[in-house]
């Protein structure tokens, strides 16, 4: 079973003894979390120190961890020492959080690689483009982790080394990896809702099945979009997940009724409450103004595939 501390050992066993090919990633991890001792030593030298300044005055800093800082005089050097002493513990805390997030990313990715080992092209793990993708995912986890982001990043890394990927699909994954740390959870839910409404194809589903699909999407994603503003959509587009267009929209539910006559009933709101809720929210929030890029669609489809059956093959949907 994969664990973070044996992930590289697994690579060595399955890919071959080619440590030099992915040593850059290892060095990157070390650089990301290195330097702890230097900062700690510097902090110890500052805390409790009495520094002489002009005029015989001094600054004394004591017990910084308990926010008990005594300053008897002010000078640029004294201020710099006080700031460094106060910030260092915060940097240590941030580093520990980042270390924990990266460890979780490696554990989750290793587990998914093991589960899908028959679909993995092991030679890809030695390629520079894949190693850059891994490094970007590690930086993304360290910068903005959390369960949702880690789950998506580990899925993206696993997809990146699967067999028979097209160049477009690989490029879309690379871009998606870089996008994830720039999105809030609400933005991700918006992307999922846009993908579902704009690209849904109903084929031979019974009415209750369609309502259940919309219920899941509304509860898991669409309802999280209520607080969105136009700026939210513009931001999603600006990071590369889509394109924003200031256009007028029609009644999306009305368009669905034309496309799918089975929804065209007098009691639609009672028979299909979540279909109506989702599509009305889509219009109210102006989500028709957002058109997803390939990388945005990859993110959306990964999230949708966990909750909605029958999404289809992700690679064929992206191209």
């Amino acid at each position: 079973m994969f664990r973070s501390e044996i992930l590289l050992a697994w690579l060595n066993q399955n890919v071959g003894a080619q440590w030099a090919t992915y040593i850059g990633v290892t060095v990157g991890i070390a650089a990301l979390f290195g330097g702890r001792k230097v900062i700690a030593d510097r902090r110890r030298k500052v805390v409790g120190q009495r520094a002489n300044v002009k005029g015989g005055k001094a600054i004394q800093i004591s017990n910084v961890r308990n926010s008990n800082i005594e300053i008897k005089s002010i000078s640029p050097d004294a201020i710099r020492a006080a700031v460094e002493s106060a910030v260092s513990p915060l940097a240590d805390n941030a580093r520990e959080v980042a270390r924990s997030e990266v460890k979780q990313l490696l554990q989750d990715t290793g587990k998914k690689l093991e589960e899908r080992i028959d679909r993995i092209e092991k030679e890809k793990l030695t390629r520079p483009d894949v190693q850059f993708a891994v490094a970007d995912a590690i930086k993304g986890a360290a910068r903005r982790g959390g369960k949702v982001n880690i789950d998506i990043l580990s899925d993206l890394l696993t997809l990146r080394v699967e067999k028979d990927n097209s160049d477009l699909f690989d490029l879309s994954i690379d871009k998606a990896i870089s996008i994830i740390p720039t999105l809030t959870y609400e933005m991700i839910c918006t992307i999922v809702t846009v993908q579902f409404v704009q690209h849904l194809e109903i084929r031979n589903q019974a009415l209750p099945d369609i309502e259940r699909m919309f219920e899941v999407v509304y509860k898991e994603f669409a309802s999280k979009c209520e607080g969105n503003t136009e700026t939210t959509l513009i931001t999603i587009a600006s990071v590369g997940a889509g394109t924003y267009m200031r256009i007028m929209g029609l009644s999306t539910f009305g368009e669905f009724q034309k496309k799918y006559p089975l929804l065209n009933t007098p009691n639609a709101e009672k028979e299909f409450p979540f279909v109506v809720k989702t599509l009305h929210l889509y219009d109210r929030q102006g989500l028709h103004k957002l058109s997803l890029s390939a990388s945005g669609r990859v993110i959306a489809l990964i999230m949708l595939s966990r909750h909605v059956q029958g999404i289809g093959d992700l690679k064929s949907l992206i191209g």
Side-chain angles (χ1 to χ4, degrees), residues 158-306:
T158 306
L159 285 169
R160 187 64 174 80
V161 294
E162 282 192 357
K163 301 173 182 175
D164 303 321
N165 288 359
S166 67
D167 289 341
L168 173 60
F169 189 68
D170 281 344
L171 289 172
S172 299
I173 291 175
D174 291 346
K175 181 62 177 178
I177 288 172
S178 69
I179 287 174
I180 286 298
T182 68
L183 298 172
T184 65
Y185 179 62
E186 290 73 22
M187 289 177 180
I188 291 174
C189 289
T190 300
I191 290 171
V192 175
T193 304
V194 169
Q195 168 66 30
F196 181 76
V197 173
Q198 292 184 0
H199 299 279
L200 175 65
E201 291 291 338
I202 300 174
R203 295 191 184 95
N204 303 321
Q205 279 101 336
L207 298 182
D209 293 336
I210 296 171
E211 174 65 11
R212 276 196 291 269
M213 287 171 59
F214 272 89
E215 180 179 1
V216 170
V217 170
Y218 182 84
K219 290 181 176 179
E220 294 291 336
F221 306 110
S223 61
K224 312 300 191 301
C225 305
E226 285 284 6
N228 280 357
T229 64
E230 192 169 34
T231 302
T232 305
L233 304 182
I234 294 172
T235 302
I236 291 172
S238 70
V239 300
T243 302
Y244 176 80
M245 297 171 288
R246 196 184 298 273
I247 56 176
M248 297 294 293
L250 301 173
S251 166
T252 306
F253 182 66
E255 292 301 305
F256 264 65
Q257 286 179 311
K258 293 177 184 177
K259 188 174 181 180
Y260 306 110
L262 54 87
L263 297 174
N264 197 8
T265 66
N267 299 317
E269 291 192 11
K270 290 183 179 179
E271 294 183 42
F272 311 106
F274 285 101
V275 174
V276 175
K277 280 184 180 181
T278 302
L279 298 181
H280 282 178
L281 181 145
Y282 177 89
D283 289 343
R284 190 167 63 250
Q285 296 298 127
L287 301 189
H288 62 277
K289 298 176 183 177
L290 187 65
S291 177
L292 298 182
S293 64
S295 52
R297 294 190 67 193
V298 167
I299 294 169
L301 289 166
I302 284 175
M303 295 293 287
L304 275 172
S305 65
R306 297 175 185 166

